[in-house]
Amino acid sequence: MDSHIYGVSKLFFSSLVIFLFFSSTTSVKQNPSPKSGQINSNSVLVALLDSHYTELAELVEKALLLQTLEEAVGKHNITIFAPRNEALERELDPEFKRFLLEPGNRKSLQTLLMFHIIPKRIGSREWPEEKSGSVKHQTLWNDRLHLTTKGGSGKKTVDSAEVVRLDDVTRPDGVIHGIKQLLIPRSVQEDFNRRRNLRSISAVLPEGAPEVDPRTHRLKKPAAPVPVGAPPVLPIYDAMAPGPSLAPAPAPGPGGPHHHFDGMSQVKDFIHTLLHYGGYNEMADILVNLTSLATEMGRLVSEGYVLTVLAPNDEAMAKLTTDQLSEPGAPEQIIYYHIIPEYQTEESMYNAVRRFGKVKYDTLRLPHTVVAQEADGSVKFGHGEGSAYLFDPDIYTDGRISVQGIDGVLFPEEETEKKPTAAVKVATKPRRGKLLEVACRMLGAFGQDSHFRSCH
């Protein structure tokens, strides 16, 4: 009896164990563990973040789309169309990129990125053939992309973008194709246009009163756009007002109101270089203290002009007399003759005189020019006793201002005045009377004047 009871108990226990085993297996099959919590290291999403599509990966992180893409990868395979880095970094409109990166436009950025993702695996084998024409596929943002294969060339396109790297990255849960340019959905484009129009309306600046040109006393016309780095439209002499000192007018050029060149800092830098170099303190003193040429040179450089300064050393400046410096405007005129409105270095000037013999350079002291020629393996400026040699080459060169040290002060060659011829004393003949002149004329008519000595 006990065995029967124990046998029944054993049979019941074994059947209970078998039932529990099958029920647990069926429950595991019906309720699989969710994948969204963990992403495999071999996932296409991890491959995107570690790929060479760094610009796209950075936008995905800024758009806070990682969680959404993890859920999409956990549900099904995906196809990502990744633009090249150059398309996002250089070829994209900077204003449009700024619009996407603004915190208030994150929704537009998310729309743009999910427009590049199809919740389906479309590899090179699944790509529609030429005979199939254009095939539509729905994106993660419920928009549609058209996949086509062009006839003849066999190029594959996604909407207007050409596929340049087919099956660039393949993983078990997805594939990445490299495309040539960014795909922009119409909704994002319309949002950008709407924001841009509103910004342009709110940013209208009031126009000021018309400006008068001080040279012509007429209304100024808007200057033509000048590319950055281009030489000024007007010559340097038109930017100088008449007078003993420079007074540059607002000449159009790459500098001026746009501040492409900081002439004041450049002039200050080259004067400091003169002082630290040593031996050119007098030249720096004239530029800064005795005249206002340093400030005025800075204005010229800010307007886009270039200058070469032939700087006499202290020994040469000490030879100047008081009379040469005491006349009004004399220091300015001396410095004007040492400033060439070109950018020249020691190498360029030496090559020029080696090739052409004598070279004339225009100066800011119109209409005088300074003559350069080769002498003793160096460059010699001026004529005769008033000449100077290139003593310290390339003291300062920054592409806008060049300073060359010389060992003498240059003066323009004065025109040799014509010397008056010496007056020769001529003995005056005794004046004849009126009556004798009449008589000589009458005798001359008859050919008898030769007989009279007084008529000769």
Side-chain angles (χ1 to χ4, degrees), residues 206-220:
E207 297 183 358
E211 298 182 8
V212 179
D213 193 339
R215 303 188 192 96
T216 60
H217 299 288
R218 297 179 180 177
L219 293 179
K220 277 187 177 181

Side-chain angles (χ1 to χ4, degrees), residues 6 20 22 102 110 123 154 192 196 212 233-234 253 262 269 272 276 315 352 367 376 404 407 417 423 427:
Y6 286 123
L20 292 176
F22 280 104
E102 290 179 359
Q110 293 176 349
F192 169 66
R196 182 170 53 182
V212 179
V233 178
L234 296 179
D262 189 0
D269 191 18
H272 279 221
H276 290 299
E315 295 181 4
D376 301 331
Q404 308 295 326
D407 61 353
E417 298 180 358

Side-chain angles (χ1 to χ4, degrees), residues 254-332:
H258 302 291
H259 300 292
H260 293 301
F261 302 119
D262 189 0
M264 304 304 297
S265 298
Q266 291 177 273
V267 172
K268 182 179 180 180
D269 191 18
F270 105 75
I271 291 177
H272 279 221
T273 304
L274 281 180
L275 296 175
H276 290 299
Y277 193 87
Y280 294 90
N281 296 334
E282 296 294 332
M283 181 69 178
D285 185 59
I286 289 180
L287 291 175
V288 178
N289 298 325
L290 193 58
T291 65
S292 60
L293 289 178
T295 303
E296 294 155 353
M297 287 172 61
R299 294 176 184 172
L300 281 177
V301 176
S302 296
E303 292 293 337
Y305 299 99
V306 293
L307 302 173
T308 298
V309 181
L310 304 177
N313 55 19
D314 290 343
E315 295 181 4
M317 298 294 287
K319 298 179 182 178
L320 292 175
T321 62
T322 306
D323 296 337
Q324 291 175 326
L325 296 174
S326 60
E327 296 181 5
E332 287 88 346

Side-chain angles (χ1 to χ4, degrees), residues 328-387:
E332 287 88 346
Q333 296 299 328
I334 293 176
I335 301 302
Y336 285 171
Y337 192 65
H338 291 75
I339 299 178
I340 300 173
E342 303 175 19
Y343 186 79
Q344 297 288 341
T345 61
E346 184 267 342
E347 182 180 1
S348 64
M349 289 190 291
Y350 184 71
N351 291 338
V353 296
R354 280 287 302 273
R355 182 177 181 181
F356 301 107
K358 288 186 178 181
V359 180
K360 289 185 177 181
Y361 294 104
D362 293 330
T363 65
L364 294 188
R365 184 175 177 180
L366 287 176
H368 301 289
T369 59
V370 60
V371 179
Q373 57 186 332
E374 182 189 6
D376 301 331
S378 180
V379 182
K380 177 183 176 182
F381 301 96
H383 304 273
E385 297 180 356
S387 60

Side-chain angles (χ1 to χ4, degrees), residues 59 62-65 68 99-115 140-141 143 185 187-189 191-192 195:
L59 290 180
K62 291 182 177 180
L64 304 179
L65 278 179
T68 303
F99 163 78
L100 293 176
L101 296 180
E102 290 179 359
N105 301 327
R106 184 176 298 165
K107 194 70 174 179
S108 298
L109 179 59
Q110 293 176 349
T111 304
L112 177 76
L113 294 176
M114 287 192 287
F115 187 68
L140 282 181
W141 196 251
D143 285 328
S187 59
V188 176
Q189 185 68 45
D191 192 13
F192 169 66
R195 298 289 181 88

Side-chain angles (χ1 to χ4, degrees), residues 29 67 100 122 126 188 222 226 248 255 348 378 401 443:
K29 290 182 180 180
Q67 184 66 30
L100 293 176
I122 304 175
E126 294 81 17
V188 176
V226 179
S348 64
S378 180
I401 301 175
L443 291 174

